[in-house]
């Protein structure tokens, strides 16, 4: 993966930069020793690594503002970092950059259940936000699978989703307001606890901007009353086509399940070997979860089962207890770990129109054979958000390159059937160079103009999202 | 005023924008807020280009009348979940509301409190910016983080960043059952408390409104058995907070804000914290008021010429002037002034997308 050549002038001024950062931050908040900055050399896309010039860990919005002002003045690129769980390289540093980590911004600032919001500092983890309101009977809806570790700052940067966004939407649908520090250190407040922010929808474009428009230090998030309970049902089918058709029928029926998860045979086998999930022997497995009171769950499940029966499932397993529910989810939740047992893997997240599921799954199978890689598919079927896992052996030369080439083919396929390159992980560096497959020059130009407006010097996370050739002029101008 | 332009295609629209300007952009011109400039009507860019009921997706050109969209959806027993608001009775306009106008003004109705705003259902958009550049953004899938979300940015931009030519929308199945539970004569603060009690229970309330001095109404929707059960739970929860009865009318008959326009005065719409709403209404000296979104949105009529924003001072939210004479509108301003930092970003974006100020100049600031 190509990254821009580090700026020699910036590298030469490292000591001066560190000294200036130390003037405005506590001593332990500036990390510059080579063995210590190594901890920030990558995120969850671990195949790419580069140690930054320095890392800073501010504890307040004011400190973030001072850091950005100094870096801006000295022409030093800044790479914001939540918890470093990005699968797309969103927090990958360049050698001439400063990593700005939000890990010390961890306070709950305000909880108001009557007005149904929570205001937090963005270094809080996703799960801890829900945890802060759980005793009040509320929760924060977006639930990316890394929710134990991932920070709200990163959720906003990548517009994170999760298994339950079929019903509750993704981050952008649950974000009411932000306090954000711009590249030059200016602090702006957008939106608030009211439902619609007013004016241009700046929140809409900040959400999912991958840390390129500003550093969000505080967020006002919508919280929802926690449903009484939830219960899954599992269906096994003898072909991907039938499972896909069943998904479409359930969605169309207006039954509002909170999650519809899909696993294909390679994933099922891996999960079986790994955790003995006890899934039926089938080609495709669906887990459909519903929420509500006991009676509501039973009513919804009955109707979902009725729909599924029309597709002649080879197995139906309705959960009758918390234990059975956990059993049904076990294999799904261990799917990534299970694939990890088979080797190294790349996880993609292209999204496709739900109606194209069977066609795309079949084509992915063919492509996998062509490239000689096993590909498992586990995904949020309700919204067409695929997660093909391409297995490879990092110790065999060329395997990473061929797995990446296969990944690129699969993502192009997603775009060609009317979908997109990424549904929830973000572009980062991973899909940067595929952007021309989805967008025209004008489409990308329009997006880059937004960055021009927020960050005219292109100091924040500059080498991400846009193909380097597309952003070259702007990064040079800076 | 120069003669109105009616582009028949996206490329013709782009040519017109490159060659002329400034423009006053409109779908059906039904929303009562128009800028100076050559009228540019999107009615020629019309038609549903794709509708897949099975995947809950519709792609539609901007000038398509809302009635056509609603009819196509009704045939499949589906709806636009954000419950778009028809502004004609309120502002006394004629014309045909279009989806382009709805999206450009992010015009959401009562179900916004549960389902989300119009912008939450815009999966993708095509638009022509002020330089005549044709831009496509987003797509037709439910989850998409590929590049910046410009589809949201142009939704609610009132045409000032670009003229929307096509949108893809997420639609939803129509609910099998609807029930309204109402109480009479609650004070504004008791009504907001009751609506909060309803909205903070896991009952999927899809509408919560209160008319000052009149009715408070709460709506439940969903599959029949579930609605029945939630109704019982809702009654129990609201128990002592008034005398609640099931109402046998359409939601629109209760929650229609256009009743405020039947008498003289200026009409405003505020977006606020629900708990702050009653106090704001009192300070505003409102003559008539309708709370929606559980109190999060306030429609109010105040005496003509009221400088409402000055009267209310600083509050968490914003106030938009909906109906007033042109003189008052010119003095008071349609949109709430933005905080300094936000205003700087907004004008920087406008300079980037519309450097020659051709698109609804001055409308938003």
């Amino acid at each position: 993966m190509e990254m821009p050549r580090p700026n020699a002038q910036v590298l030469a001024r490292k000591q001066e930069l560190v000294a200036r950062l130390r003037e405005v931050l506590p001593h332990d908040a500036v990390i510059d020793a080579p063995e210590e900055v190594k901890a920030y050399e990558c995120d969850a896309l671990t195949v790419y690594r580069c140690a930054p010039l320095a890392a800073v860990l501010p504890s307040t919005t004011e400190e973030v503002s001072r850091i950005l002002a100094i870096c801006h003045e000295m022409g030093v690129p800044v790479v914001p970092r939540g918890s470093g769980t990005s699968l797309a390289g969103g927090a990958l540093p360049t050698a001439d950059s400063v990593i700005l980590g939000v890990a010390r911004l961890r306070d709950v600032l305000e909880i108001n259940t009557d007005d149904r919001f929570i205001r937090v500092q963005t270094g809080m983890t996703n799960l801890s936000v829900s945890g802060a309101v759980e005793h009040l009977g509320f929760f924060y809806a977006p639930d990316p699978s890394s929710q134990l570790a991932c920070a709200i700052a990163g959720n906003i940067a990548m517009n994170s989703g999760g298994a339950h966004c079929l019903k509750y939407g993704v981050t952008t649908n649950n974000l009411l307001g932000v306090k954000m520090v711009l590249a030059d250190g200016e602090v702006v407040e957008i939106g608030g606890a009211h439902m619609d922010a007013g004016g241009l929808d700046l929140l809409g474009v900040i959400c999912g901007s991958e840390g390129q428009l500003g550093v969000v230090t505080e967020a006002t998030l919508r919280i929802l009353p926690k449903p009484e309970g939830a219960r899954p049902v599992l269906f096994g089918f003898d072909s991907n086509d039938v499972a896909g058709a069943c998904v479409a029928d359930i969605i169309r029926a207006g039954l509002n399940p909170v999650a519809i998860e899909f696993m294909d045979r390679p994933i099922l086998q891996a999960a079986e070997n790994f955790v003995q999930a006890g899934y039926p022997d089938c080609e495709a497995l669906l887990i459909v979860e519903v929420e509500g009171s006991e009676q509501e769950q039973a009513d919804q499940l009955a109707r979902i089962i009725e729909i599924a029966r029309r597709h002649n499932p080879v197995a139906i397993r309705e959960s009758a207890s918390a234990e059975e529910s956990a059993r049904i989810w076990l294999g799904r939740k261990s799917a990534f770990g299970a694939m990890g047992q088979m080797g190294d893997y790349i996880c993609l997240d292209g999204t496709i129109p739900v109606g194209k599921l069977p066609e795309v799954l079949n084509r992915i199978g063919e492509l996998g054979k062509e490239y000689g890689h096993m590909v498992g598919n586990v995904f949020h079927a309700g919204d067409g958000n695929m997660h093909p896992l391409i297995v490879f052996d990092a110790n065999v030369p060329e395997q990473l390159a061929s797995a990446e080439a296969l990944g690129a083919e699969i993502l192009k396929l997603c775009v060609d059937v009317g979908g997109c390159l990424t549904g929830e992980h973000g572009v980062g560096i991973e899909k940067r160079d595929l952007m021309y497959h989805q967008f025209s020059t004008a489409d990308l130009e329009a997006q880059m103009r937004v960055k021009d407006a927020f960050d005219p010097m292109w100091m924040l996370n500059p080498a991400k999202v846009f193909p380097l050739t597309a952003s070259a002029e702007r990064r040079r101008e800076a | 005023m120069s003669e109105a332009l009616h582009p028949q295609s996206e490329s013709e629209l782009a040519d017109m924008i490159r060659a002329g300007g400034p423009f006053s952009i409109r779908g059906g011109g039904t929303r009562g807020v128009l800028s100076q400039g050559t009228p540019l009507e999107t009615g020629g860019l019309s038609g549903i280009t794709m509708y897949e009921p099975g995947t809950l997706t519709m792609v539609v050109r901007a000038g398509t009348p809302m009635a056509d969209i609603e009819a196509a959806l009704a045939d499949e027993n589906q709806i636009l979940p954000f419950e778009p608001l028809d502004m004609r009775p309120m502002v006394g306009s004629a014309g045909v509301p279009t989806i382009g106008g709805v999206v450009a003004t992010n015009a959401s109705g009562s179900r916004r409190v549960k389902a989300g705003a119009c912008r939450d259902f815009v999966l993708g958009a095509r638009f022509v910016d002020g330089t005549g550049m044709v831009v496509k953004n987003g797509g037709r899938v439910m989850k998409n983080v590929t590049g910046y979300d410009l589809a949201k940015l142009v939704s609610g931009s009132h045409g000032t960043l670009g003229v929307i030519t096509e949108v893809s929308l997420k639609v939803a199945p129509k609910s099998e059952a609807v029930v309204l539970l109402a109480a009479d004569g609650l004070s504004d603060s008791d009504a907001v408390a009751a609506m909060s009690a309803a909205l903070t229970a896991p009952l999927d309330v899809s509408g919560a409104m209160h008319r000052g001095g009149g009715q408070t109404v709460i709506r439940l929707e969903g599959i029949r058995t579930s609605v029945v059960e939630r109704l019982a739970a809702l009654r129990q929860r609201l128990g002592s907070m008034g005398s609640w009865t099931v109402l046998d009318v359409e939601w629109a008959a209760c929650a229609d804000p256009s009743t405020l326009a039947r008498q003289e005065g200026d009409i405003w719409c505020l977006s606020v914290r629900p708990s702050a709403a009653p106090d704001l209404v009192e300070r505003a000296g409102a003559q008539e008021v309708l709370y929606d979104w559980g109190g999060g949105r306030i429609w109010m009529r105040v005496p003509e010429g009221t400088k409402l924003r000055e009267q209310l001072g600083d509050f968490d939210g914003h106030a938009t002037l909906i109906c007033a004479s042109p003189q008052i509108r010119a003095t008071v301003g349609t949109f709430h002034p933005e905080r300094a930092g936000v205003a700087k970003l907004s004008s920087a974006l406008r300079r980037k997308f519309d450097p020659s100020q051709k698109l609804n100049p001055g409308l938003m600031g």
Side-chain angles (χ1 to χ4, degrees):
Chain A
M1 193 67 61
E2 191 195 346
M3 289 299 275
R5 200 141 33 93
N7 183 328
Q9 281 167 321
V10 169
L11 297 178
R13 293 174 73 189
K14 176 177 174 179
Q15 291 318 316
E16 182 191 347
L17 171 72
V18 168
R20 288 193 61 184
L21 291 170
R22 288 229 156 90
E23 278 170 28
V24 300
L25 291 170
H27 192 79
D28 70 344
V30 182
I31 297 160
D32 71 318
E35 65 280 9
E36 287 174 45
V37 292
K38 218 170 165 331
Y40 299 92
E41 67 180 0
C42 69
D43 52 28
L45 184 69
T46 53
V47 289
Y48 298 102
R49 291 163 195 263
C50 172
L53 204 55
V56 287
L57 300 172
S59 304
T60 64
T61 301
E62 292 66 36
E63 287 180 358
V64 173
S65 166
R66 287 186 204 124
I67 293 162
L68 288 174
I70 290 169
C71 291
H72 197 258
E73 199 189 306
M74 293 184 67
V76 180
V78 174
V79 175
R81 178 181 169 105
S83 299
T85 56
S86 171
L87 292 162
L92 177 75
T94 48
D96 58 0
S97 69
V98 167
I99 284 278
L100 191 162
V102 295
R104 292 185 182 175
L105 294 159
R106 304 202 79 113
D107 291 341
V108 174
L109 303 169
E110 186 181 2
I111 294 174
N112 185 325
T113 51
D114 278 345
D115 292 338
R116 304 173 293 281
F117 73 87
I118 183 171
R119 195 158 56 86
V120 300
Q121 289 188 313
T122 55
M124 279 187 77
T125 62
N126 174 288
L127 197 62
S128 71
V129 171
S130 270
V133 292
E134 194 178 8
H135 65 288
L136 301 166
F138 281 78
F139 75 112
Y140 173 60
D143 60 341
S145 54
S146 57
Q147 66 180 154
L148 192 62
C150 65
I152 291 296
N155 288 182
I156 293 170
M158 292 306 194
N159 190 15
S160 303
H164 293 79
C165 57
L166 184 58
K167 180 169 179 188
Y168 297 113
V170 295
T171 303
T172 192
N173 312 114
N174 292 279
L175 178 68
L176 299 170
V178 297
K179 183 181 270 190
M180 182 170 86
V181 188
L182 300 177
D184 61 1
E186 183 179 352
V187 180
V188 293
E189 284 186 57
I190 302 168
H194 47 292
M195 244 176 266
D196 284 330
L200 292 179
D201 194 353
L202 302 182
L203 288 176
V205 77
I206 288 165
C207 209
S209 62
E210 307 206 8
Q212 291 196 308
L213 303 185
V215 177
V216 176
T217 57
E218 291 179 19
T220 306
L221 305 167
R222 188 166 81 117
I223 51 171
L224 299 170
K226 216 170 148 62
E228 279 178 50
R231 201 142 59 89
V233 58
L234 166 161
F235 302 111
F237 293 98
D238 56 15
S239 83
N240 289 332
D241 298 39
V242 179
C246 182
V247 170
D249 282 357
I250 293 171
I251 289 174
R252 194 174 169 169
L255 295 167
N256 213 10
V258 282
I260 305 180
E261 298 288 297
F262 190 124
M263 289 184 272
D264 71 358
R265 185 176 274 283
I267 290 284
L268 290 171
Q269 264 161 5
E272 201 54 48
N273 296 340
F274 188 47
V275 291
Q276 293 83 48
Y279 287 149
D281 181 28
C282 59
E283 288 299 314
L285 188 108
L286 294 182
I287 299 175
V288 185
E289 184 156 88
V290 298
E291 278 181 352
S293 67
E294 284 296 329
Q295 189 58 45
E296 280 181 281
Q297 293 172 32
D299 291 342
Q300 287 185 73
L301 285 179
R303 290 171 67 161
I304 287 167
I305 289 168
E306 187 191 317
I307 291 170
R309 275 194 203 286
R310 287 183 224 141
H311 296 275
N312 300 316
V314 298
I316 299 178
R317 206 172 291 166
E318 184 183 347
S319 163
S321 67
E323 201 188 352
E324 281 178 36
S325 297
R327 191 93 203 134
I328 287 177
W329 277 109
L330 176 67
R332 166 64 185 91
K333 290 192 170 163
S334 341
F336 285 40
M339 289 302 272
Q341 294 293 105
M342 326 262 310
D344 303 289
Y345 66 79
I346 296 178
C347 173
L348 307 168
D349 77 316
T351 305
I352 57 167
V354 178
K356 304 282 185 186
L357 275 176
E359 174 189 338
V360 170
L361 286 173
N362 293 339
R363 183 72 191 124
I364 288 177
E366 289 165 17
L367 285 168
K369 285 201 188 86
E370 249 171 68
Y371 281 79
H373 289 279
M374 182 181 145
V375 185
N377 288 284
V378 47
F379 53 92
H380 313 311
D383 45 36
N385 190 191
M386 318 262 303
H387 285 87
L389 298 169
I390 302 171
V391 180
F392 70 102
D393 184 347
N395 295 316
V396 179
E398 309 301 323
Q399 281 245 327
L400 172 62
S402 84
E404 283 185 336
L406 169 57
E409 285 306 309
I410 292 174
L411 292 182
K412 286 179 183 170
L413 169 65
C414 292
V415 174
D416 294 342
V417 300
C420 64
L421 295 170
T422 170
E424 56 185 5
H425 296 171
V427 177
I429 55 159
E430 195 196 24
K431 284 145 266 185
R432 194 185 59 189
D433 299 316
L434 292 170
M435 290 289 270
Y436 277 123
H437 196 79
Q438 187 173 334
F439 294 112
S440 70
T441 305
D443 300 339
L444 290 178
E445 171 65 23
Q447 294 179 35
M448 290 192 290
R449 282 182 189 170
V450 172
K451 180 154 173 70
D452 294 342
F454 279 79
D455 176 17
M457 306 284 282
W458 279 61
M459 299 309 294
L460 287 168
N461 222 4
K464 310 291 169 65
V465 183
F466 304 104
L468 290 181
T469 48
S471 63
E473 279 302 313
R474 287 172 155 92
R475 286 180 292 109
R476 245 195 299 279
E477 270 169 21
Chain B
M1 197 193 284
S2 13
E3 196 140 321
L5 299 173
H6 300 94
Q8 298 300 307
S9 70
E10 189 178 68
S11 59
E12 194 185 347
L13 169 67
D15 290 342
M16 284 173 178
I17 290 176
R18 275 192 292 267
F23 301 104
S24 169
I25 302 148
R26 61 200 63 181
T30 64
R31 294 184 185 269
V33 189
L34 295 170
S35 76
Q36 299 298 308
T38 309
L40 195 162
E41 300 184 359
T42 59
L45 309 169
S46 179
I48 295 170
T49 53
M50 189 219 77
Y51 175 30
E52 283 184 10
T55 58
L56 306 179
T57 330
M58 178 183 274
V59 181
V60 59
R61 293 201 188 95
T64 311
M66 287 305 289
D68 294 4
I69 293 171
E70 278 158 2
L73 288 166
D75 282 346
E76 298 291 338
N77 207 26
Q78 296 189 336
I79 56 164
L80 292 173
F82 58 91
E83 219 169 1
L85 206 58
D86 184 350
M87 292 297 283
R88 284 175 298 180
M90 172 80 89
V91 302
S93 57
V96 174
T98 63
I99 188 66
V102 167
V103 171
T105 58
N106 188 24
S108 322
S110 297
R111 204 181 289 106
R112 190 263 174 274
V113 72
K114 174 188 171 225
C118 173
R119 56 84 100 173
D120 293 300
F121 293 86
V122 177
L123 302 172
R126 295 180 66 93
F127 62 94
V128 183
D129 80 357
T131 67
M133 185 167 82
V134 177
V135 180
K136 152 184 120 263
N137 190 265
R140 47 162 294 203
V141 290
M142 305 293 161
K143 269 162 93 183
N144 187 346
V145 295
T146 321
Y148 296 171
D149 195 344
L150 304 187
K152 289 216 168 41
L153 190 61
V154 292
S155 303
S157 72
H158 290 263
T160 63
L161 299 180
V163 180
I164 299 171
T165 58
E166 188 180 88
V167 289
S168 46
L169 300 166
K170 179 179 170 182
V171 303
K174 191 175 177 202
S175 289
E176 181 180 290
V178 184
V179 65
L180 308 184
L181 191 64
D184 269 316
L186 298 186
S187 72
D188 288 6
S189 50
D190 285 349
V192 169
M195 292 190 287
S196 275
L199 285 160
T200 52
L203 299 172
D204 269 342
V205 167
S206 72
M209 59 132 296
H210 167 70
R211 229 173 247 284
Q215 232 167 14
T216 310
V217 189
I218 296 177
R219 176 173 64 182
L220 297 172
E221 296 173 299
I223 61 175
R224 193 158 284 112
T225 47
S226 159
V227 168
V228 169
E229 194 184 343
R230 282 183 282 140
L231 177 64
L234 180 63
R235 275 181 180 281
Q236 194 172 18
R237 184 158 174 101
L238 295 175
S240 59
M241 305 177 88
S243 169
W244 296 86
T245 50
V246 170
L247 213 58
D248 192 20
V249 296
E250 293 280 309
W251 174 261
C254 316
D256 174 14
S258 72
T259 53
L260 273 65
R262 289 179 194 155
Q263 291 178 50
E264 291 293 304
D266 299 342
I267 296 178
W268 289 78
C269 183
L270 283 70
S271 184
V272 304
R273 288 188 186 203
S275 61
D279 179 52
L280 287 167
V281 166
E282 197 176 318
R283 273 158 53 201
Q287 297 165 317
E288 193 179 339
V289 60
L290 172 67
Y291 296 80
D292 202 345
W293 303 353
R297 168 184 266 184
I298 310 168
W299 299 95
M300 62 166 83
R301 192 183 64 245
V302 293
E304 197 172 12
T306 301
K307 294 203 164 57
L308 184 69
R309 296 185 192 110
E310 285 172 31
Q311 209 159 310
L312 294 178
D314 203 20
F315 65 97
D316 203 357
H318 53 89
T320 307
L321 179 60
I322 306 295
C323 299
S325 70
Q327 292 78 12
I328 289 168
R329 191 178 289 282
T331 328
V332 179
T334 300
F335 297 103
H336 208 94
E338 295 178 308
R339 297 171 187 139
V342 174
K344 208 164 90 181
L345 288 174
S346 299
S347 67
L349 283 167
R350 273 193 206 95
R351 277 199 306 277
K352 291 290 172 192
F353 283 88
D354 183 22
S356 311
Q357 297 177 54
K358 290 183 174 187
L359 309 179
N360 283 346
L363 186 61
M364 285 189 94

